[in-house]
């Protein structure tokens, strides 16, 4: 495991803990009610939807280029927000770190 993966795991575990805490205290209905409580929270929620939509588009393109399936990560993104992209990046980084490194040969 490299430093990028470790950092991603820390963020994922912390965010998952925060999500669990919010769901435990407010429930799904309570979280949705608070997300739509006023113009500020609706704006923040809309911003989150836009940002995660852009991330899903990037994941789809990146997965297509790498010959991987993005479907489970999209479902996780729709259900749990940033959990999907974080897991995708962890898996992507694991694949990248397993590939042999290429050494550039200088032309004379």
């Amino acid at each position: 495991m490299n430093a990028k993966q470790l950092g991603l795991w820390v963020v994922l575990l912390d965010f998952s803990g925060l999500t669990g805490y919010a769901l435990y205290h407010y429930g799904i209905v309570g979280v949705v009610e608070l997300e739509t409580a006023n113009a500020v929270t609706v704006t923040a929620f809309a911003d989150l939807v836009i940002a995660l939509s852009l991330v899903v588009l990037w994941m789809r393109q990146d997965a297509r280029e790498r010959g991987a399936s993005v479907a489970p990560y999209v479902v996780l993104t729709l259900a749990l927000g940033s959990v999907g992209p974080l897991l995708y990046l962890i898996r992507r980084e694991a694949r990248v770190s397993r590939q042999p490194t290429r050494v550039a040969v200088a032309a004379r």
Side-chain angles (χ1 to χ4, degrees):
M1 181 179 298
N2 62 32
K4 286 181 188 177
Q5 286 174 296
L6 183 60
L8 288 166
W9 273 112
V10 167
V11 172
L12 175 63
L13 293 174
D14 286 346
F15 178 72
S16 296
L18 180 60
T19 300
Y21 176 81
L23 289 173
Y24 176 77
H25 282 284
Y26 299 100
I28 293 172
V29 173
V31 169
V32 173
E33 286 176 351
L34 290 170
E35 287 173 341
T36 58
N38 57 53
V40 173
T41 57
V42 170
T43 302
F45 182 71
D47 186 50
L48 177 66
V49 169
I50 292 166
L52 286 176
S53 297
L54 293 171
V55 170
V56 165
L57 291 173
W58 170 81
M59 283 192 311
R60 193 176 121 235
Q61 180 64 33
D62 188 69
R64 182 179 295 151
E65 290 172 2
R66 297 172 184 279
S69 174
V70 74
Y73 305 102
V74 171
V75 170
L76 283 169
T77 302
L78 293 173
L80 299 171
S82 297
V83 170
L86 287 167
L87 284 172
Y88 179 81
L89 288 171
I90 289 168
R91 190 224 17 121
R92 181 181 186 268
E93 188 59 35
R95 279 184 148 184
V96 168
S97 65
R98 281 184 284 193
Q99 292 177 350
T101 56
R102 295 182 184 173
V103 178
V105 179
R108 294 181 193 202

